[in-house]
Amino acid sequence: MDSKILNDVHSIYFVGIGGASMSALAAICADEGKRVFGCDRAPGEYTDGLMARGIEVSFADDDAGLDGCDLIVYTDAAGRGERHLARAAALNKTMVSRGAFLAMLCGRYESVVAVAGCHGKTTCTGMLAHIFACSDRAFTAHIGGRDKTFGNSVCRGRDYFITEACEYNKNFLLLKPTVGVVLNTAADHLECYGGERELAEAYKNFAGRSSRCVSIFGDECVRGDVTFGTEEGADYRARSINCSGGRYSFEVFEYERYLCSVSLKVLGRHNIANALAAVAAARACGLRARSVEEGLASFSGIARRFESIGRYRGCEVIADYAHHPDEIAASLRTARSVCRGRLYVIFQPHTYSRTRLLFDGFAEVLSGVDDLLIYKTFAAREYFDAAGSAVALSRAVKKSRYADDERDIERFLQGVGTDDKILVLGAGDIYFTVRRMTD
């Protein structure tokens, strides 16, 4: 759909406005002067933030504001039979999906930087927002999580639009980035593709749709115009890597010449790659080395990305959004590097399809955990599937225990000590369940 249509749109209604991406898009539209309304199933941190700034949000079956809106934007999780969409159809309203609307919004900006990949998108996008904030460029950022400084959106002008580019439902193929970033091409969302080969072709297509592509060095699927990594041969390379307390510092070399020094505040070696990708993308946009260095120094992380959320019986609780085997492996490595005692891991699978399609990968990475609780699946948009259930996964991981509710979690954690760590993994509601239990 042509982005010029938005010129004649004065009011927008978001169905599923409480999601990280949807609420960011709603906030950006409000900052552009549009009247914004929306609905969701229940209140949450993002709806609370929107309502605090005066945006009207309704819940359950309430559809206040829908009748008078020019455009309806709906989340991919909402089927066309959803009550609000059925009413919008009856009123002959123009309706677009979240992915299509993001593409329309991108068309209103001079340049678009879009970050794709199975993992790291939110962190890299947040890093880019901080780098641009330390430059003289006018930009807007759409972040798929809560940056600890900016929240999930930043609106500082219309020259650059920085966004995540999600492979779910092939949404990233709706974008035509000025600079496209491919962090990695690991298998995920295979329910939307015929298999890994089709997913790989989609990543190649995304890279081809980008005027300039930044990709990780050595990826066999996508070979970008510019590469990043720690290996010799990468265009943007980390050297002199040091670690202190799980946080990494390093020197960035640009085409074999020293560019700047980086000291990350966020934990985990995997964030070196995220930072290098942000550096490469920022430089492709012409930003100075000083902006890169200052921006990365100011980045303090994204909520639910190895975030300390409190203590339980004196034991630190860390929450991580990891819901893919590769992400879990990275989170476990980081947790073990900062844990002096026992590591208690609570994992909630996210969607039945992901668990079923990547079952062996989940079983393998979790089998190395000595103290493991697998919590009931967060279904999201899906219906029960025994083959991809948390129960099935728990049975496959012999040392694990299965949990249905908070009491099971309490029993699992009854022996924790102050030198131990509790690591909560998953993109579902387990984060809120455990956070309520912390001091």
Side-chain angles (χ1 to χ4, degrees):
M1 192 173 289
D2 195 329
S3 62
K4 292 180 181 178
I5 291 174
L6 288 177
N7 294 334
D8 299 321
V9 169
H10 304 289
S11 56
I12 307 174
Y13 191 92
F14 289 83
V15 177
I17 198 169
S21 174
M22 288 284 279
S23 58
L25 293 173
I28 290 168
C29 290
D31 284 333
E32 285 195 0
K34 309 290 186 186
R35 293 188 64 205
V36 173
F37 304 83
C39 66
D40 215 300
R41 295 174 182 173
E45 63 172 312
Y46 291 122
T47 56
D48 289 348
L50 294 173
M51 293 169 73
R53 58 180 293 172
I55 294 174
E56 187 173 341
V57 180
S58 57
F59 301 100
D61 290 336
D62 188 358
D63 57 9
L66 187 149
D67 289 20
C69 282
D70 303 322
L71 180 68
I72 312 297
V73 180
Y74 59 90
T75 177
D76 288 324
R80 281 296 184 128
E82 197 272 343
R83 182 188 181 281
H84 297 84
L85 295 185
R87 177 165 176 74
L91 293 170
N92 201 30
K93 296 287 186 180
T94 301
M95 295 185 285
V96 296
S97 68
R98 184 208 66 87
F101 182 75
L102 174 60
M104 291 171 63
L105 197 59
C106 286
R108 293 164 61 82
Y109 289 76
E110 290 187 19
S111 300
V112 174
V113 182
V115 182
C118 176
H119 14 267
K121 292 187 294 291
T122 304
T123 296
C124 184
T125 304
M127 288 175 168
L128 275 166
H130 281 262
I131 292 171
F132 270 79
C134 290
S135 75
D136 59 355
R137 307 301 173 88
F139 76 100
T140 292
H142 161 250
I143 307 169
R146 180 169 56 82
D147 180 279
K148 292 182 179 178
T149 302
F150 296 133
N152 61 348
S153 68
V154 190
C155 296
R156 296 187 180 180
R158 293 271 288 275
D159 290 346
Y160 287 86
F161 189 83
I162 305 166
T163 181
E164 296 185 29
C166 183
E167 73 274 19
Y168 176 72
N169 212 22
K170 304 182 181 180
N171 281 329
F172 66 161
L173 298 183
L174 298 173
L175 305 177
K176 293 184 178 180
T178 311
V179 177
V181 179
V182 179
L183 296 169
N184 43 69
T185 57
D188 198 13
H189 295 303
L190 292 179
E191 74 279 11
C192 303
Y193 298 85
E196 292 189 31
R197 180 177 296 179
E198 185 177 353
L199 176 61
E201 287 300 317
Y203 274 113
K204 291 178 183 177
N205 193 347
F206 172 79
R209 293 172 66 83
S210 305
S211 299
R212 191 169 179 81
C213 179
V214 173
S215 69
I216 189 164
F217 180 77
D219 191 295
E220 295 181 0
C221 175
V222 174
R223 298 179 182 179
D225 307 294
V226 179
T227 61
F228 63 90
T230 57
E231 300 88 350
E232 185 176 350
D235 298 326
Y236 287 84
R237 184 182 175 193
R239 294 184 183 177
S240 303
I241 299 172
N242 291 299
C243 178
S244 176
R247 294 176 175 85
Y248 285 82
S249 61
F250 51 93
E251 294 180 339
V252 178
F253 277 71
E254 178 183 64
Y255 301 104
E256 300 301 324
R257 296 183 64 181
Y258 172 81
L259 179 69
C260 64
S261 296
V262 172
S263 294
L264 297 176
K265 294 179 180 177
V266 289
L267 292 162
R269 187 180 177 88
H270 56 281
N271 281 313
I272 296 176
N274 293 329
L276 288 172
V279 172
R283 293 291 285 172
C285 295
L287 272 64
R288 297 176 302 164
R290 183 176 178 180
S291 298
V292 168
E293 194 170 272
E294 292 178 353
L296 289 175
S298 70
F299 177 71
S300 57
I302 305 288
R304 297 185 71 171
R305 272 63 172 186
F306 216 83
E307 176 192 16
S308 182
I309 60 172
R311 291 188 173 270
Y312 180 81
R313 295 186 176 180
C315 177
E316 184 182 20
V317 182
I318 297 168
D320 196 89
Y321 204 67
H323 55 291
H324 182 281
D326 291 351
E327 295 168 345
I328 293 171
S331 188
L332 288 173
R333 283 194 298 270
T334 303
R336 286 167 177 149
S337 73
V338 296
C339 181
R340 293 184 297 175
R342 294 171 64 178
L343 179 63
Y344 290 80
V345 178
I346 303 170
F347 171 59
Q348 181 185 41
H350 188 269
T351 73
Y352 297 106
S353 61
R354 177 182 286 110
T355 308
R356 174 173 51 80
L357 291 165
L358 303 177
F359 195 92
D360 291 345
F362 281 115
E364 181 179 357
V365 72
L366 293 172
S367 291
V369 179
D370 292 326
D371 296 287
L372 174 65
L373 187 72
I374 298 179
Y375 194 72
K376 61 184 178 183
T377 302
F378 187 80
R381 53 195 170 267
E382 298 181 347
Y383 296 101
F384 179 76
D385 178 356
S389 67
V391 173
L393 183 59
S394 181
R395 288 172 179 166
V397 183
K398 302 303 181 185
K399 290 186 290 186
S400 71
R401 294 159 64 176
Y402 174 76
D404 255 330
D405 55 34
E406 191 171 313
R407 288 171 297 179
D408 291 330
I409 297 175
E410 291 172 347
R411 283 191 286 268
F412 172 67
L413 297 176
Q414 61 185 357
V416 298
T418 54
D419 284 340
D420 302 329
K421 300 281 187 193
I422 300 168
L423 179 62
V424 182
L425 301 172
D429 57 4
I430 188 64
Y431 172 81
F432 303 101
T433 299
V434 176
R435 194 170 68 172
R436 287 194 299 269
M437 299 168 59
T438 62
D439 297 330

